[in-house]
Amino acid sequence: MEPVITSLLDTDLYKFTMWQTMLHRHPQTQAEYRFVCRNQPAFPLTDLLGEVNAEIDALCALCFTEDELRYLGGLRYIKSDFVDFLRIFRFQRRFIEASADGDQLRIVARGPQVHVMAFEIFVLAIVNELYFRRFDRAAALAEGRRRLEAKIAAIETFAQQPALRHPFELFDFGVRRRFSRPWQREVVQAFSTRLPQVFKGTSNVRLAVDLGLVPIGTMAHEYLQTYQALGVRLRDSQKAALEDWVQEYRGDLGIALTDVVGMDAFLADFDLYFAKLFDGLRHDSGDPLVWADKALAHYAKLRIDPHTKRLVFSDGLTVEKAIGLYRALGDRTQLGFGIGTHLTNDVGLTPLNIVMKLTSANGQPVAKLSDSPGKTLCDDATFLAYLRQVFNVPAEAA
């Protein structure tokens, strides 16, 4: 069969935006990323080990084409020297290892961050697609198409209702979670063709190119986590990350992620300076309405008109949840909804809950103190406790 990954653009836009920033600001950083499966698969993922290694071999043989580089260079926030770096870039096989640890699939990428950070999305897409190839593809696609039609019909019905002050806008955030590469393309093409007033783009840069869509994305948790190990005071790590972002993009890519050490700790650092410079905030854990109330109250305290800002939601969304959040908030601020699994892997099979997260940088542990307890990530309990203390995050909230 054709390899899972055939283009190095077949990944999330925010991989490129974070990649460029780290290349310019901290190119010497060493990092480690580890694969984790959070739920129980139907069969041990170690059964896929041989295929995973073959797919990683194929990934490491790819390079960016001139057409792909031309597209990236045409994005106004992508710098020419970064395009030149990508022109000579290839994944190095020695920086990533896939092995079996009992019945657990172990994948570790370790090396210079600018050489290993882009493995994440590709590895997750590879494991997902190899896993779901073991199931009845025809039955899954038939059910997926039935559910896709139901989603489109639900949005069409909803769109006939009187609009609130701000429009209802959806994005595809489903690269890493997809049933397969062809299925993601089919879903995104259906949404973009049939719901052009609602569907505003995709995080998948390859699909953005092929379907003429807007590529969507700014930063992920790994970006802010890295700053926990870059030599600034830990308490200042979020401010340092946001400041570097502002200096790198100078007004572009203005949605900040809030839940690396929790919303309350984020807002304590998100002062008037950052609140004016960033266009809005992204929610990825915790109660979305509680989070939105905190964000809007923060803007009000800073005397910033919330209608000039945007709140983006991306935590386990379904179409129904997105519509519910829009009804609650659409008169209060601009909104955006990034839907992943529910768009690209809703085919009647239980999706894998897999991640490949940054675990250390420059030999020091890093952590994510999520607003959802199950999403907290750290291999070092001592550092996790220290991070809580520094940012005044109670253990029960972490």
Side-chain angles (χ1 to χ4, degrees):
M1 297 183 70
E2 187 177 49
V4 172
I5 305 299
T6 59
S7 165
L8 293 182
L9 289 191
D10 189 17
T11 189
D12 284 323
L13 176 70
Y14 67 25
K15 275 295 167 182
F16 293 104
T17 58
M18 294 186 293
W19 199 353
Q20 175 173 272
T21 307
M22 299 315 294
L23 180 68
H24 287 162
R25 307 283 163 174
H26 303 283
Q28 76 286 0
T29 302
Q30 299 287 311
E32 179 182 282
Y33 293 76
R34 287 183 175 268
F35 172 88
V36 176
C37 182
R38 292 165 164 165
N39 63 347
Q40 184 65 43
F43 58 86
L45 295 183
T46 50
D47 291 0
L48 303 173
L49 180 58
E51 295 168 86
V52 167
N53 272 311
E55 291 286 348
I56 294 175
D57 290 341
L59 175 68
C60 291
L62 292 175
C63 60
F64 288 96
T65 69
E66 284 303 316
D67 284 345
E68 291 171 340
L69 294 169
R70 193 174 301 113
Y71 175 82
L72 289 172
L75 301 173
R76 71 180 187 183
Y77 44 81
I78 296 296
K79 311 295 197 302
S80 61
D81 67 312
F82 180 50
V83 174
D84 291 336
F85 168 81
L86 295 179
R87 181 171 282 107
I88 60 174
F89 174 81
R90 280 181 185 261
F91 282 113
Q92 303 299 304
R93 189 61 171 88
R94 65 194 177 95
F95 290 145
I96 187 167
E97 177 187 5
S99 59
D101 182 6
D103 64 352
Q104 302 296 311
L105 180 62
R106 181 178 181 271
I107 305 174
V108 180
R110 184 188 297 112
Q113 190 169 32
V114 293
H115 281 275
V116 300
M117 64 187 298
F119 273 120
E120 176 200 0
I121 307 300
F122 293 121
V123 166
L124 297 177
I126 284 168
V127 173
N128 259 312
E129 187 154 348
L130 293 177
Y131 177 79
F132 286 106
R133 282 179 182 176
R134 302 283 182 104
F135 295 85
D136 186 332
R137 176 181 173 82
L141 289 177
E143 178 62 16
R145 288 173 182 135
R146 186 190 69 78
R147 295 185 183 199
L148 175 60
E149 287 298 320
K151 293 183 185 74
I152 291 173
I155 294 172
E156 288 173 336
T157 299
F158 170 68
Q160 294 172 6
Q161 300 175 15
L164 301 180
R165 175 166 177 172
H166 299 285
F168 178 68
E169 297 182 342
L170 292 179
F171 324 117
D172 159 51
F173 278 7
V175 185
R176 74 189 65 197
R177 309 169 182 91
R178 66 193 184 191
F179 173 76
S180 70
R181 173 165 48 89
W183 177 240
Q184 183 184 22
R185 178 178 291 266
E186 182 175 335
V187 169
V188 170
Q189 189 158 23
F191 267 80
S192 62
T193 301
R194 296 172 61 183
L195 298 168
Q197 299 307 311
V198 168
F199 190 75
K200 296 301 180 181
T202 174
S203 66
N204 186 323
V205 184
R206 181 73 259 168
L207 289 182
V209 174
D210 294 346
L211 302 179
L213 299 172
V214 176
I216 303 290
T218 56
M219 66 183 72
H221 300 94
E222 67 180 287
Y223 174 70
L224 288 104
Q225 284 178 272
T226 300
Y227 280 77
Q228 297 169 7
L230 290 186
V232 298
R233 279 198 324 159
L234 183 59
R235 183 62 188 84
D236 297 329
S237 59
Q238 290 194 118
K239 290 182 178 180
L242 295 174
E243 180 64 27
D244 274 3
W245 194 269
V246 166
Q247 295 303 322
E248 181 71 24
Y249 292 111
R250 306 191 69 80
D252 273 319
L253 303 172
I255 302 296
L257 181 63
T258 66
D259 71 329
V260 172
V261 288
M263 182 60 162
D264 293 339
F266 177 87
L267 292 180
D269 288 340
F270 198 66
D271 59 13
L272 183 62
Y273 171 75
F274 289 124
K276 283 190 171 183
L277 291 175
F278 280 88
D279 297 323
L281 305 172
R282 176 162 75 92
H283 169 267
D284 200 49
S285 64
D287 186 307
L289 290 176
V290 171
W291 175 88
D293 284 342
K294 288 181 178 181
L296 294 174
H298 189 69
Y299 282 129
K301 183 178 71 173
L302 297 175
R303 299 181 183 176
I304 292 176
D305 181 357
H307 297 288
T308 66
K309 300 298 180 180
R310 180 185 293 269
L311 301 184
V312 177
F313 296 85
S314 61
D315 180 28
L317 287 186
T318 65
V319 167
E320 293 76 16
K321 287 180 182 178
I323 289 173
L325 289 168
Y326 174 75
R327 285 175 170 151
L329 299 167
D331 279 332
R332 299 175 66 188
T333 189
Q334 299 176 56
L335 301 168
F337 302 96
I339 305 182
T341 308
H342 191 60
L343 283 191
T344 62
N345 204 344
D346 186 19
V347 295
L349 299 169
T350 301
L352 292 176
N353 187 350
I354 55 176
V355 295
M356 189 166 180
K357 292 298 185 183
L358 179 69
T359 56
S360 68
N362 292 333
Q364 298 177 226
V366 300
K368 170 187 168 188
L369 280 176
S370 173
D371 287 317
S372 296
K375 284 189 164 187
T376 293
L377 284 174
C378 186
D379 292 338
D380 189 313
T382 301
F383 178 72
L384 193 64
Y386 178 52
L387 189 67
R388 287 189 183 119
Q389 180 183 12
V390 167
F391 283 97
N392 195 27
V393 179
E396 61 270 20

